[in-house]
Amino acid sequence: MDRKEAANRITHLRTVIDRHNYLYFVENVPEIGDGQYDKLMSELRDIENTFPDLITTQSPTQRVGAAPLIGFSEISHEIPMLSLSNAFSDDDLTAWYHRLYSMLDDTNFEMACELKYDGLAVSLRYENGLFIQGATRGNGMTGEDITLNLKTINSIPLQLQGEFPQTLEVRGEVYFPKSEFDKFNARRDQEGLHTYANPRNTAAGSLRQLDSNVTAGRPLDVFIYSLAQMDSDLSLGTQLKTLNYLRSLGFKINPHNILAKDTQEVIKYHTSWIQNLASLDYDCDGIVVKVNRLDYQQHLGTIGREPRWATAYKFPAVQAQTRLLDIRLNVGRTGSINPYAVLDPVEVGGVIIKQATLHNADYIESKDLKIGDWVVVERAGEVIPQIVRSDKDKRTGAETYFAMPAICPSCGTILVNRKDEAATYCTNSTCPAQLERLVEHFAGKGAMDIEGMGGKVGISLIQNGLIKDVADIYFLQRERLEQLDRMGKKSVDNLLIAIDESKKQPPERLLVSLGIPHIGSEISSLLLNQFASIDNLVACNQETLLNTPSVGPKISESITEYFGNPDNLKILDKLRSAGLNMVSETVIPSEGIPLLSDLRFVVTGRLENYSRTEIQDLIKKYGGKVSSSVSKSTDYLLAGQDGGSKLAEAAKLEVQIISEHDFETMVAGN
Ligand code: IVH
């Protein structure tokens, strides 16, 4: 066979294999047996082995076998991956419907009802019909590149069918089918390996494997539930038509989606699925109700990170009975005194529950809980376990009431109750327990990421008086550290290096680290994009903040309250004097627009003067964006030595290829 014949045969085989793969894994109606399928695959493999240059990353032979990664790269979601508001009762659902119909001026709009699969959200990108990139949800704005792992999922098409647009991004849920999960655990058990608790967490762990060959051993599956982006004039009109269109491209769409004309029909769907859940081979924790018309969705828009046009109507949670052994207290990082229940360990929905939050004294009283009670505990999806009620019939008289102490269990300060709040607070801003929580948070992975500072070390530094607020972390003296128990010279060195390194963290990380209530990574990035520096944020009033997209009253009040406190401003000053980044690194040239504003770069090959991270940081510093793979929206491919397949990809998509030197010229003088 010559090269040309081989190329033709390969194209033919790939089309045939993709089709049978689709019939088997998506439609569940195979037309050929496993033996015949394997024969086609091995013929394709043989020809590809003879002509390795004809192998493409989307060939069905390339679903497995890629080399392990060292880490995942970050991917920013052009269209954020949103969450859903919740409804827990028919009344909640009806209230949601009524709110929307007054906004839409239509009292009779239709809804798409779908199941709410309890797996992991993923985003899949296609260029010219080929699967080029897949990502996790992450914080909704940035996720991780898990393309290689997703390619191992047979129901994810590597090549689209039918009339596909040039670029397409879809969202869906990856899950571990229950039957496969049971087989997988049984096999592990036989091999003397530990077994896994539930399909969801195992699916999550499988998607985060650096070696995709491990993922390939876990038969994951997917349902696609939305279209994020496509460049096409096709007007799809409604959610259900969109899903039908995606089905025509080869995506796996759940067969149980329906159109509901009113809330009664939604409730019927919800009720019938509560009864039929066991018939499904995947876990669902509710249904998702979506306004069907896309123009209505557009009009309704999103609030915070939730679309107004959709809501999750949850199923009642899984419950179990156990004993409430004790009620203990935690001091939160904001000073709130949080009672929690110590439970006789019990399994609920595949997870062992030992503790449950009790929120505050009012909560304990409203549930009439006594220490020693039999209680019903429940866990709904990812929600923290809760105590639903106590079983008063089982009381023996030996049960005892819990009383909130008058003083902080950590520092002895008299506790206060704030107006309109059920929580009890310790207002001592130097309370060691509060500080312990805060330091733990400050040094945590998603915050300043100071290795060696969390846990025992942080606590010991606080207890020995070396840290009185988080800013003190940056003024620790080597001599004092070396005097502490279990702190050898080496650990001190490492700790000081980690602290110094953390000074380079961008201001959005610093803002998260301060532990301001309601300010997580997503909101923090958004605020620094908007205000460019922490000082600008300090200067903001409620009104300015409220005019910021995605910022509601809870967030704006929390920020103004935090920066309104002189103690906090002192800490901020100290952090500034330690040399921490308070200003977004994006360079704003005199015209006020960052130099590489929103230009998208991909870097490939070995560079002469920079490491990969250095060049990426530099691009970001000048306002550019870095992606890990070339797509139509890439502006420049910055290529060094041995650029590999990205060069061909860039040439094909007519993306401009530049050298390191070209790049330096671009940013010269800045
Ligand atoms: S739509 C903007 N549809 O639920 C709409 N989500 O809490 C956002 N989920 O992260 C998603 N089944 O992973 C949608 N049929 C379905 C879903 C679904 C499960 C998950 C999704 C998302 C989470 C939202």
Side-chain angles (χ1 to χ4, degrees):
M1 193 184 293
D2 65 20
R3 196 169 177 285
K4 182 139 185 286
E5 281 166 351
N8 285 336
R9 185 68 188 156
I10 283 179
T11 312
H12 172 74
L13 283 169
R14 283 181 190 161
T15 315
V16 174
I17 291 170
D18 279 345
R19 185 180 131 71
H20 287 302
N21 183 74
Y22 172 78
L23 290 171
Y24 186 91
F25 289 105
V26 179
E27 293 284 347
N28 209 358
V29 283
E31 280 180 3
I32 58 171
D34 290 358
Q36 274 170 292
Y37 183 83
D38 291 345
K39 239 165 83 189
L40 292 168
M41 277 295 273
S42 72
E43 183 185 351
L44 176 60
R45 221 173 263 123
D46 287 348
I47 308 179
E48 285 183 345
N49 283 343
T50 321
F51 298 94
D53 60 318
L54 294 177
I55 300 177
T56 60
T57 48
Q58 285 86 5
S59 170
T61 58
Q62 305 301 303
R63 283 193 183 266
V64 283
L69 301 171
I70 299 162
F72 296 112
S73 45
E74 275 192 1
I75 283 182
S76 61
H77 300 299
E78 248 171 82
I79 309 289
M81 290 182 78
L82 302 172
S83 317
L84 290 170
S85 62
N86 288 319
F88 295 101
S89 63
D90 294 354
D91 284 350
D92 286 357
L93 176 84
T94 315
W96 170 80
Y97 191 80
H98 286 188
R99 248 188 340 270
L100 296 203
Y101 80 44
S102 55
M103 292 177 76
L104 288 172
D105 236 1
D106 178 348
T107 53
N108 225 332
F109 61 88
E110 294 179 327
M111 291 156 284
C113 294
E114 301 169 17
L115 289 167
K116 186 169 185 298
Y117 327 109
D118 192 14
L120 290 305
V122 295
S123 185
L124 310 175
R125 262 191 96 79
Y126 289 79
E127 300 270 356
N128 302 312
L130 300 179
F131 175 50
I132 54 144
Q133 191 170 70
T136 59
R137 177 180 188 278
N139 65 9
M141 310 296 271
T142 36
E144 286 177 324
D145 184 340
I146 52 162
T147 313
L148 293 177
N149 292 341
L150 290 171
K151 275 172 75 179
T152 69
I153 301 178
N154 288 300
S155 50
I156 293 183
L158 300 181
Q159 160 79 62
L160 298 180
Q161 313 168 359
E163 307 266 305
F164 52 77
Q166 207 176 22
T167 65
L168 174 78
E169 188 168 317
V170 297
R171 306 273 159 86
E173 196 88 349
V174 167
Y175 63 94
F176 206 136
K178 288 197 277 190
S179 56
E180 296 289 351
F181 179 73
D182 291 341
K183 281 191 243 165
F184 171 71
N185 258 346
R187 226 173 20 245
R188 285 184 65 91
D189 196 34
Q190 256 176 12
E191 291 164 10
L193 299 168
H194 76 87
T195 55
Y196 289 90
N198 66 62
R200 189 189 177 281
N201 294 358
T202 317
S206 307
L207 279 186
R208 299 206 68 264
Q209 294 292 329
L210 289 169
D211 184 352
S212 62
N213 294 293
V214 176
T215 316
R218 319 251 171 110
L220 303 177
D221 210 334
V222 72
F223 286 121
I224 299 303
Y225 54 63
S226 74
L227 169 65
Q229 222 184 354
M230 77 169 172
D231 62 344
S232 155
D233 302 332
L234 209 62
S235 96
L236 292 163
T238 68
Q239 163 71 4
L240 289 174
K241 284 189 182 143
T242 305
L243 293 183
N244 279 335
Y245 169 66
L246 294 178
R247 182 179 286 127
S248 79
L249 299 181
F251 289 109
K252 183 156 175 176
I253 311 293
N254 189 279
H256 302 301
N257 301 335
I258 63 147
L259 180 74
K261 293 211 164 27
D262 51 38
T263 48
Q264 279 317 307
E265 291 190 8
V266 176
I267 292 167
K268 229 172 84 195
Y269 182 79
H270 183 258
T271 318
S272 81
W273 277 113
I274 294 175
Q275 283 145 14
N276 290 320
L277 270 182
S279 70
L280 297 173
D281 198 21
Y282 38 89
D283 287 326
C284 290
D285 56 345
I287 63 169
V288 182
V289 191
K290 302 176 182 175
V291 173
N292 197 33
R293 276 176 59 165
L294 301 180
D295 57 338
Y296 279 2
Q297 292 188 0
Q298 185 94 36
H299 177 74
L300 291 165
T302 56
I303 170 112
R305 57 182 90 183
E306 295 165 359
R308 283 199 190 82
W309 47 265
T311 195
Y313 186 3
K314 293 297 195 71
F315 294 140
V318 197
Q319 299 187 337
Q321 293 229 1
T322 190
R323 290 281 298 282
L324 171 57
L325 301 178
D326 197 7
I327 294 178
R328 296 191 195 148
L329 298 167
N330 256 329
V331 184
R333 64 169 197 251
T334 55
S336 59
I337 306 294
N338 314 313
Y340 65 93
V342 179
L343 301 167
D344 197 4
V346 61
E347 193 199 298
V348 186
V351 175
I352 307 286
I353 308 291
K354 295 179 194 143
Q355 292 185 356
T357 170
L358 294 173
H359 305 285
N360 51 58
D362 285 3
Y363 183 89
I364 298 173
E365 201 183 309
S366 73
K367 302 238 157 191
D368 186 18
L369 299 179
K370 284 177 152 191
I371 297 167
D373 266 345
W374 276 92
V375 290
V376 176
V377 288
E378 79 171 20
R379 198 182 64 94
E382 279 178 87
V383 184
I384 313 158
Q386 303 267 0
I387 292 188
V388 187
R389 59 188 163 80
S390 59
D391 189 344
K392 283 162 209 81
D393 295 341
K394 285 199 183 161
R395 281 189 180 160
T396 61
E399 297 77 11
T400 53
Y401 272 115
F402 162 82
M404 202 63 168
I407 59 170
C408 173
S410 167
C411 67
T413 304
I414 292 178
L415 299 177
V416 299
N417 285 300
R418 289 192 189 146
K419 202 173 109 245
D420 300 332
E421 269 195 74
T424 307
Y425 284 90
C426 163
T427 53
N428 172 10
S429 63
T430 59
C431 166
Q434 255 179 71
L435 192 56
E436 280 169 18
R437 294 287 91 69
L438 184 59
V439 167
E440 191 176 305
H441 166 80
F442 188 91
K445 275 239 173 298
M448 298 307 273
D449 195 9
I450 308 175
E451 211 182 314
M453 174 60 78
K456 294 209 177 85
V457 175
I459 294 176
S460 149
L461 294 177
I462 294 163
Q463 287 175 352
N464 286 289
L466 273 67
I467 295 183
K468 296 210 168 58
D469 60 48
V470 288
D472 285 340
I473 293 175
Y474 294 97
F475 297 92
L476 288 169
Q477 307 286 327
R478 169 181 297 278
E479 305 74 55
R480 299 278 318 269
L481 287 171
E482 281 177 1
Q483 286 160 7
L484 296 178
D485 278 355
R486 285 193 298 273
M487 286 294 275
K489 189 169 172 333
K490 186 87 195 131
S491 339
V492 172
D493 279 349
N494 289 341
L495 183 61
L496 289 173
I497 291 171
I499 292 172
D500 218 45
E501 273 293 303
S502 79
K503 290 183 184 170
K504 296 187 196 141
Q505 294 287 8
E508 55 271 23
R509 285 286 195 105
L510 177 57
L511 184 60
V512 172
S513 309
L514 296 175
I516 307 173
H518 311 300
I519 310 299
S521 73
E522 200 175 326
I523 292 293
S524 175
S525 298
L526 206 130
L527 288 170
L528 277 143
N529 266 338
Q530 184 80 14
F531 296 103
S533 77
I534 294 188
D535 291 317
N536 288 346
L537 198 60
V538 174
C540 272
N541 56 23
Q542 289 263 6
E543 204 186 332
T544 323
L545 284 166
L546 279 172
N547 280 328
T548 313
S550 294
V551 174
K554 239 174 28 190
I555 294 173
S556 62
E557 274 165 32
S558 183
I559 295 173
T560 44
E561 181 178 329
Y562 183 89
F563 291 124
N565 179 341
D567 288 342
N568 292 332
L569 293 181
K570 266 188 221 147
I571 294 176
L572 211 57
D573 278 338
K574 252 162 90 178
L575 290 167
R576 184 184 331 213
S577 71
L580 272 73
N581 288 323
M582 300 281 176
V583 183
S584 264
E585 278 240 343
T586 311
V587 173
I588 314 278
S590 43
E591 318 86 82
I593 301 163
L595 199 58
L596 303 178
S597 178
D598 290 334
L599 289 175
R600 293 176 172 273
F601 287 78
V602 172
V603 184
T604 187
R606 256 179 300 112
L607 304 177
E608 251 169 65
N609 297 325
Y610 310 92
S611 74
R612 192 54 71 84
T613 355
E614 279 167 356
I615 193 82
Q616 289 178 346
D617 285 350
L618 207 59
I619 294 170
K620 286 185 201 149
K621 176 175 158 191
Y622 288 115
K625 297 203 170 118
V626 186
S627 343
S628 62
S629 69
V630 179
S631 75
K632 229 191 66 205
S633 52
T634 310
D635 293 294
Y636 296 102
L637 176 69
L638 204 174
Q641 290 286 311
D642 303 326
S645 65
K646 293 213 170 94
L647 284 167
E649 195 72 16
K652 200 169 85 198
L653 297 172
E654 295 180 7
V655 168
Q656 196 170 344
I657 302 171
I658 57 168
S659 68
E660 191 174 343
H661 178 73
D662 296 334
F663 177 78
E664 283 173 336
T665 320
M666 258 169 128
V667 298
N670 280 278

